[in-house]
Amino acid sequence: MIDKKPKIGVIGAGHLGKHHIKHLAQHNDVEFVGAFDTNASALRKVCAEFSVNPVNSIEELVKNCTAVHIVTPTNTHFELGKFFLENNLDILIEKPITETVKEAESLIEIADQNKCIIQVGHIERFNPTINKLKQLISSPHCIEIERLAPFQARGTEVPVILDLMVHDIDMVLEMVDSPIKNIQASGAKMMSSTIDLAHAHIQFQNGVVANLKSSRIAQGYVRKIRTYQKNLYSITDLMIPQIEIYGLKNSGQFSQQSISRAVETSEGEKTVFYEKFIPEQKDALLEEINNFVESIIKRSRPNVDGHAGKRALDIALQIENKIFLND
Ligand code: NAD
């Protein structure tokens, strides 16, 4: 228990906002003020579900909160983020941070001036399966990520690169410590007025390549990460979730439980090790919220600050700009 709990509110009680509200309403280290949404009937319903207070305006949030979670559509992030930061509130803003790099820079500047915290909702940083994968691999030469989903209208105010691929861009930028050398991309529109399907090929100066594929017009949900490095190949399925590792020799990643098999190759017999990892499951959103609460209390930098959000957005927009649409 802490002496002075941050007073937190939520703006946006939609699909994701509901989960923020649920966690904050039962968080021991937070005084949850309530939620505001421009859709009054949806707000009433969500507030009743979690027995929390509806708030009548953003001004009321400012009056009663020291921090807010901004869980509204991306095209509102800048305006709302600016408003709360100018009123000296810390913000947890959903991804992507804003629609333009200039807007992200402006939010970072206001936060710096007012000594406020910005955390961006790149939730995969708190995904226990991804964090386990990062422990198991060391220096991948090639990273392939697929993030596919069936179509739904929600989120289509921005291209799929800003909606889905931005998660993987952030993940790759965190895994590869090198500047980007080149980006190639292709994509298509089908169901919305923005790009629904995108493929990106990112080459880093240190030789690492990342191939990202995102779609919101797929038949089903796919969340797969494949990494290749010397002697080690990993396949991670975030939907199960599980990590499978294959290694040409016992490279130290394998435990006693690993299965080994002798394989005849043109270079003679090689031993291939295989092991499956089922990481301990934790609620990534709760972990993200805990990181925000800790940052507020300690006045420390959150894991995903405004700069990280801006960096992922910058690459996402570069990918979008590379896509030639034939329409
Ligand atoms: P949603 O459409 O379900 O909910 C958005 C809510 O915001 C709606 O209830 C709407 O009425 C409300 N709203 C819109 N403008 C408002 C305003 N000016 N003031 C107050 N309320 C307003 O959308 P969602 O799926 O919950 O997405 C919200 C945000 O969360 C988006 O930025 C999206 O990219 C992000 N998101 C992140 C993840 C993740 O994995 N981190 C997943 C889904 C969505």
Coordinates of all heavy atoms in Angstrom, one line a residue, residues 10-18 20 36-40 42-43 46 58 61 70-77 79-80 93-97 120-124 147 152 154-155 157-158 162-164 166-167 223 285 288, ligand 1:
V10 N -10.3 7.7 -16.8 CA -10.2 7.1 -18.2 C -11.1 8.0 -19.1 O -12.2 8.3 -18.8 CB -10.7 5.6 -18.2 CG1 -10.8 5.1 -19.7 CG2 -9.7 4.7 -17.4
I11 N -10.5 8.3 -20.3 CA -11.4 8.9 -21.3 C -11.4 7.9 -22.5 O -10.4 7.4 -23.0 CB -10.8 10.3 -21.8 CG1 -11.7 10.8 -22.9 CG2 -9.4 10.3 -22.2 CD1 -11.7 12.3 -23.0
G12 N -12.7 7.5 -22.8 CA -12.9 6.5 -23.9 C -13.3 5.2 -23.2 O -12.4 4.5 -22.6
A13 N -14.6 4.8 -23.2 CA -15.1 3.6 -22.6 C -15.5 2.6 -23.6 O -16.6 2.0 -23.5 CB -16.2 3.9 -21.6
G14 N -14.8 2.5 -24.7 CA -15.1 1.6 -25.8 C -14.5 0.2 -25.6 O -14.3 -0.2 -24.4
H15 N -14.2 -0.5 -26.7 CA -13.7 -1.8 -26.6 C -12.5 -2.0 -25.7 O -12.5 -2.9 -24.8 CB -13.3 -2.2 -28.1 CG -12.5 -3.5 -28.2 ND1 -13.1 -4.7 -28.0 CD2 -11.2 -3.7 -28.3 CE1 -12.2 -5.7 -28.1 NE2 -11.0 -5.1 -28.3
L16 N -11.5 -1.2 -25.8 CA -10.3 -1.3 -25.0 C -10.4 -0.5 -23.7 O -10.0 -1.0 -22.6 CB -9.0 -0.8 -25.7 CG -7.7 -1.1 -25.0 CD1 -7.5 -2.6 -24.8 CD2 -6.5 -0.6 -25.8
G17 N -11.1 0.6 -23.7 CA -11.3 1.5 -22.5 C -11.9 0.7 -21.4 O -11.6 0.9 -20.2
K18 N -12.8 -0.2 -21.8 CA -13.5 -1.0 -20.8 C -12.5 -1.8 -19.9 O -12.7 -2.0 -18.7 CB -14.4 -2.0 -21.6 CG -15.5 -2.6 -21.0 CD -16.4 -3.3 -22.0 CE -16.9 -4.6 -21.4 NZ -18.0 -5.1 -22.2
H20 N -9.3 -1.1 -19.4 CA -8.6 -0.1 -18.6 C -9.4 0.2 -17.3 O -8.9 0.2 -16.2 CB -8.3 1.2 -19.4 CG -7.2 1.1 -20.3 ND1 -5.9 1.6 -20.0 CD2 -7.1 0.7 -21.6 CE1 -5.1 1.4 -21.1 NE2 -5.8 0.8 -22.0
F36 N -15.0 9.0 -18.7 CA -15.8 9.9 -19.6 C -15.8 9.4 -21.0 O -14.7 8.9 -21.5 CB -15.2 11.3 -19.5 CG -15.9 12.2 -20.6 CD1 -17.2 12.6 -20.5 CD2 -15.2 12.7 -21.7 CE1 -17.8 13.4 -21.4 CE2 -15.8 13.5 -22.7 CZ -17.1 13.8 -22.5
D37 N -16.9 9.5 -21.6 CA -17.0 9.1 -23.0 C -18.1 10.0 -23.7 O -19.1 10.3 -23.0 CB -17.4 7.6 -23.2 CG -17.2 7.0 -24.6 OD1 -17.8 7.5 -25.5 OD2 -16.4 6.1 -24.7
T38 N -17.9 10.4 -24.9 CA -18.9 11.2 -25.6 C -20.1 10.5 -25.9 O -21.2 11.1 -26.1 CB -18.3 11.8 -26.9 OG1 -17.6 10.8 -27.6 CG2 -17.3 13.0 -26.6
N39 N -20.0 9.1 -25.9 CA -21.2 8.3 -26.1 C -21.8 8.0 -24.7 O -21.4 7.1 -24.0 CB -20.8 7.0 -26.8 CG -22.0 6.1 -27.1 OD1 -23.0 6.2 -26.4 ND2 -21.9 5.3 -28.1
A40 N -22.8 8.9 -24.3 CA -23.3 8.8 -22.9 C -23.9 7.4 -22.6 O -23.7 6.9 -21.4 CB -24.3 9.9 -22.7
A42 N -23.3 4.4 -23.9 CA -22.2 3.4 -23.8 C -21.5 3.6 -22.4 O -21.2 2.6 -21.8 CB -21.3 3.5 -24.9
L43 N -21.3 4.8 -22.1 CA -20.5 5.1 -20.8 C -21.3 4.6 -19.6 O -20.8 4.0 -18.7 CB -20.3 6.7 -20.7 CG -19.6 7.1 -19.4 CD1 -18.2 6.6 -19.3 CD2 -19.6 8.6 -19.3
V46 N -21.1 0.8 -19.3 CA -19.7 0.3 -18.9 C -19.6 0.6 -17.4 O -19.1 -0.2 -16.6 CB -18.6 0.9 -19.7 CG1 -17.2 0.5 -19.1 CG2 -18.7 0.4 -21.2
I58 N -14.4 16.5 -19.9 CA -12.9 16.4 -19.7 C -12.5 17.4 -18.7 O -11.5 17.1 -18.0 CB -12.2 16.5 -21.1 CG1 -12.6 17.8 -21.8 CG2 -12.3 15.3 -22.0 CD1 -11.8 18.0 -23.1
L61 N -12.6 15.7 -15.4 CA -11.5 14.8 -15.3 C -10.3 15.6 -14.8 O -9.6 15.2 -13.8 CB -11.1 14.1 -16.6 CG -12.0 12.9 -17.0 CD1 -11.6 12.4 -18.4 CD2 -11.9 11.7 -16.0
I70 N -5.9 7.7 -22.0 CA -6.6 8.2 -23.2 C -6.8 7.0 -24.1 O -5.9 6.4 -24.7 CB -5.8 9.3 -23.9 CG1 -5.6 10.5 -22.9 CG2 -6.5 9.7 -25.2 CD1 -4.7 11.6 -23.4
V71 N -8.1 6.5 -24.1 CA -8.4 5.3 -24.9 C -9.5 5.5 -25.9 O -10.5 4.8 -26.0 CB -8.8 4.1 -23.9 CG1 -8.6 2.8 -24.6 CG2 -8.0 4.2 -22.6
T72 N -9.2 6.6 -26.6 CA -10.2 7.1 -27.7 C -9.5 6.8 -29.0 O -8.3 6.4 -29.1 CB -10.4 8.6 -27.5 OG1 -9.1 9.2 -27.5 CG2 -11.2 8.9 -26.2
P73 N -10.3 6.9 -30.1 CA -9.7 6.7 -31.5 C -8.5 7.6 -31.7 O -8.4 8.7 -31.2 CB -10.8 7.0 -32.4 CG -12.1 6.8 -31.6 CD -11.7 7.2 -30.2
T74 N -7.6 7.1 -32.5 CA -6.3 7.7 -32.8 C -6.4 9.2 -33.2 O -5.6 10.0 -32.8 CB -5.5 6.9 -33.8 OG1 -5.4 5.5 -33.3 CG2 -4.1 7.4 -34.1
N75 N -7.4 9.5 -34.0 CA -7.5 10.8 -34.5 C -7.9 11.8 -33.4 O -8.0 13.0 -33.7 CB -8.5 10.9 -35.7 CG -9.8 10.3 -35.4 OD1 -10.2 10.0 -34.3 ND2 -10.6 10.0 -36.5
T76 N -8.1 11.4 -32.2 CA -8.4 12.3 -31.1 C -7.2 12.4 -30.1 O -7.2 13.2 -29.2 CB -9.6 11.8 -30.3 OG1 -9.3 10.5 -29.6 CG2 -10.9 11.6 -31.1
H77 N -6.2 11.5 -30.3 CA -5.1 11.5 -29.3 C -4.4 12.8 -29.1 O -4.1 13.2 -28.0 CB -4.1 10.4 -29.8 CG -4.6 9.0 -29.6 ND1 -3.8 7.9 -29.8 CD2 -5.8 8.5 -29.2 CE1 -4.4 6.8 -29.5 NE2 -5.7 7.1 -29.2
E79 N -5.2 16.0 -29.7 CA -6.0 17.1 -29.1 C -6.2 16.8 -27.6 O -6.1 17.6 -26.8 CB -7.4 17.1 -29.8 CG -8.2 18.4 -29.6 CD -9.6 18.2 -30.2 OE1 -9.7 17.6 -31.3 OE2 -10.5 18.6 -29.5
L80 N -6.6 15.5 -27.3 CA -6.9 15.2 -25.9 C -5.6 15.1 -25.1 O -5.5 15.6 -24.0 CB -7.6 13.8 -25.8 CG -9.0 13.8 -26.3 CD1 -9.6 12.4 -26.4 CD2 -9.9 14.7 -25.5
I93 N -1.4 7.1 -23.0 CA -2.1 7.3 -24.2 C -2.0 6.0 -25.1 O -0.9 5.5 -25.2 CB -1.6 8.5 -25.0 CG1 -2.4 8.9 -26.2 CG2 -0.1 8.4 -25.4 CD1 -2.2 10.4 -26.6
E94 N -3.1 5.6 -25.6 CA -3.1 4.3 -26.4 C -2.2 4.5 -27.7 O -2.0 5.6 -28.1 CB -4.5 3.9 -26.8 CG -5.1 2.8 -25.9 CD -4.1 1.6 -25.7 OE1 -3.4 1.3 -26.6 OE2 -4.1 1.1 -24.6
K95 N -1.8 3.4 -28.3 CA -1.0 3.4 -29.5 C -1.9 3.6 -30.7 O -3.1 3.2 -30.6 CB -0.2 2.2 -29.7 CG -0.8 0.8 -29.5 CD -2.0 0.4 -30.2 CE -2.2 0.4 -31.7 NZ -3.5 -0.1 -32.1
P96 N -1.5 4.2 -31.8 CA -0.3 4.9 -31.9 C -0.4 6.3 -31.2 O -1.5 6.8 -31.0 CB -0.1 5.1 -33.4 CG -1.5 5.2 -33.9 CD -2.3 4.2 -33.0
I97 N 0.8 6.8 -30.7 CA 0.7 8.0 -29.9 C -0.1 9.1 -30.5 O -1.0 9.7 -29.8 CB 2.2 8.5 -29.6 CG1 2.2 9.7 -28.7 CG2 3.0 8.7 -30.8 CD1 3.5 10.1 -28.1
V120 N 3.0 5.3 -23.6 CA 2.2 4.9 -24.8 C 1.9 3.4 -24.7 O 2.7 2.6 -24.3 CB 3.0 5.2 -26.1 CG1 2.2 5.0 -27.4 CG2 3.5 6.7 -26.1
G121 N 0.6 3.1 -25.1 CA 0.1 1.8 -24.9 C 0.6 0.7 -25.9 O -0.2 0.0 -26.5
H122 N 1.9 0.6 -26.0 CA 2.5 -0.5 -26.8 C 2.5 -1.8 -25.9 O 3.5 -2.1 -25.3 CB 3.9 -0.2 -27.3 CG 3.8 0.8 -28.5 ND1 3.4 0.4 -29.7 CD2 4.1 2.1 -28.6 CE1 3.4 1.4 -30.5 NE2 3.8 2.5 -29.9
I123 N 1.4 -2.4 -25.8 CA 1.1 -3.5 -24.8 C 2.0 -4.7 -25.0 O 2.3 -5.4 -24.0 CB -0.4 -3.9 -24.9 CG1 -0.8 -4.6 -23.6 CG2 -0.7 -4.6 -26.2 CD1 -2.3 -4.8 -23.5
E124 N 2.5 -4.9 -26.2 CA 3.3 -6.1 -26.4 C 4.6 -6.0 -25.6 O 5.3 -7.1 -25.3 CB 3.7 -6.3 -27.9 CG 2.4 -6.6 -28.8 CD 1.7 -7.9 -28.5 OE1 1.6 -8.3 -27.4 OE2 1.2 -8.5 -29.5
R147 N 0.7 -10.4 -38.2 CA -0.4 -10.0 -37.3 C -1.6 -9.8 -38.2 O -1.8 -8.8 -38.9 CB 0.0 -8.7 -36.6 CG -0.9 -8.3 -35.5 CD -0.4 -7.0 -34.8 NE 0.8 -7.3 -34.0 CZ 0.8 -7.6 -32.7 NH1 -0.3 -7.6 -32.0 NH2 2.0 -7.9 -32.1
Q152 N -13.1 -5.6 -39.2 CA -14.1 -5.0 -38.4 C -13.9 -3.5 -38.6 O -12.8 -3.0 -38.8 CB -14.0 -5.3 -36.9 CG -12.6 -5.0 -36.3 CD -12.4 -5.6 -34.9 OE1 -13.3 -6.3 -34.4 NE2 -11.3 -5.2 -34.3
R154 N -14.0 -1.0 -36.5 CA -13.3 -0.3 -35.5 C -11.8 -0.2 -35.8 O -11.2 -1.2 -36.2 CB -13.5 -1.1 -34.2 CG -13.0 -0.4 -32.9 CD -13.7 -1.1 -31.7 NE -13.7 -2.5 -31.7 CZ -12.7 -3.3 -31.5 NH1 -11.5 -2.8 -31.2 NH2 -12.8 -4.6 -31.5
G155 N -11.3 1.0 -35.7 CA -9.8 1.2 -35.9 C -9.5 1.5 -37.3 O -8.3 1.9 -37.6
E157 N -10.1 4.1 -38.9 CA -9.8 5.5 -39.2 C -8.3 5.7 -39.5 O -7.9 6.7 -40.0 CB -10.3 6.4 -38.0 CG -9.5 6.4 -36.8 CD -9.7 5.3 -35.8 OE1 -10.5 4.4 -36.1 OE2 -9.1 5.2 -34.7
V158 N -7.5 4.7 -39.1 CA -6.1 4.8 -39.5 C -5.7 3.5 -40.3 O -6.4 2.5 -40.2 CB -5.2 4.9 -38.2 CG1 -5.3 6.2 -37.5 CG2 -5.4 3.7 -37.3
L162 N -0.7 1.7 -38.8 CA -0.8 2.4 -37.5 C -1.7 1.7 -36.5 O -1.5 1.9 -35.3 CB -1.5 3.8 -37.7 CG -0.7 4.9 -38.5 CD1 -1.2 6.2 -38.3 CD2 0.8 4.9 -38.0
D163 N -2.5 0.8 -37.0 CA -3.4 0.1 -36.1 C -2.7 -1.2 -35.5 O -2.6 -1.4 -34.3 CB -4.7 -0.2 -36.8 CG -5.8 -0.9 -35.9 OD1 -5.7 -0.7 -34.7 OD2 -6.7 -1.5 -36.5
L164 N -2.3 -2.1 -36.5 CA -1.7 -3.4 -36.0 C -0.2 -3.4 -36.1 O 0.5 -3.8 -35.2 CB -2.3 -4.5 -36.9 CG -3.9 -4.7 -36.8 CD1 -4.3 -5.9 -37.6 CD2 -4.3 -4.9 -35.3
V166 N 2.1 -1.3 -36.0 CA 2.9 -0.4 -35.1 C 3.3 -1.2 -33.9 O 4.4 -1.0 -33.4 CB 2.0 0.8 -34.8 CG1 0.9 0.5 -33.8 CG2 2.9 1.9 -34.3
H167 N 2.6 -2.2 -33.5 CA 3.0 -3.1 -32.4 C 4.3 -3.8 -32.7 O 5.2 -3.9 -31.9 CB 2.0 -4.2 -32.1 CG 0.7 -3.7 -31.4 ND1 0.7 -3.3 -30.1 CD2 -0.6 -3.7 -31.9 CE1 -0.6 -3.0 -29.8 NE2 -1.3 -3.2 -30.8
R223 N -1.0 -14.5 -35.0 CA 0.0 -13.6 -34.3 C 1.2 -14.5 -34.2 O 1.4 -15.3 -33.3 CB -0.4 -13.3 -32.9 CG -1.7 -12.5 -32.8 CD -1.5 -11.0 -33.0 NE -2.6 -10.2 -32.6 CZ -3.7 -9.9 -33.4 NH1 -3.7 -10.4 -34.6 NH2 -4.6 -9.1 -33.0
L285 N -2.1 -6.0 -20.0 CA -2.6 -4.6 -19.8 C -2.4 -4.2 -18.4 O -2.1 -3.1 -18.1 CB -4.1 -4.5 -20.2 CG -4.8 -3.2 -20.0 CD1 -4.1 -2.1 -20.9 CD2 -6.3 -3.2 -20.4
E288 N 1.1 -3.2 -17.9 CA 1.3 -1.9 -18.5 C 0.8 -0.8 -17.5 O 1.5 0.2 -17.3 CB 0.5 -1.8 -19.8 CG 0.6 -0.5 -20.6 CD -0.2 -0.5 -21.8 OE1 0.1 -1.2 -22.8 OE2 -1.3 0.1 -21.8
Ligands
NAD1 P1 -13.6 2.1 -29.7 O1 -14.2 2.7 -30.9 O2 -14.2 0.8 -29.2 O3 -13.7 3.0 -28.4 C1 -13.4 4.4 -28.5 C2 -14.3 5.1 -27.5 O4 -13.9 6.5 -27.5 C3 -15.8 5.2 -28.0 O5 -16.6 4.7 -26.9 C4 -16.1 6.6 -28.3 O6 -17.4 7.0 -28.1 C5 -15.1 7.3 -27.4 N1 -14.7 8.7 -27.9 C6 -14.4 9.1 -29.2 N2 -14.0 10.3 -29.2 C7 -14.1 10.8 -27.9 C8 -13.8 12.0 -27.3 N3 -13.3 13.1 -27.9 N4 -13.9 12.1 -25.9 C9 -14.4 11.0 -25.2 N5 -14.7 9.8 -25.7 C10 -14.5 9.7 -27.1 O7 -12.0 2.0 -29.9 P2 -11.0 1.0 -29.2 O8 -10.8 -0.2 -30.0 O9 -11.3 1.0 -27.7 O10 -9.6 1.9 -29.5 C11 -9.3 3.0 -28.7 C12 -7.8 3.3 -28.8 O11 -7.1 2.1 -28.3 C13 -7.3 3.5 -30.2 O12 -6.2 4.4 -30.2 C14 -6.7 2.1 -30.6 O13 -5.6 2.2 -31.5 C15 -6.2 1.6 -29.2 N6 -6.2 0.2 -29.1 C16 -5.1 -0.4 -28.6 C17 -5.0 -1.8 -28.5 C18 -3.7 -2.4 -27.9 O14 -3.5 -3.6 -28.1 N7 -2.9 -1.6 -27.3 C19 -6.1 -2.6 -28.9 C20 -7.2 -2.0 -29.4 C21 -7.3 -0.6 -29.5

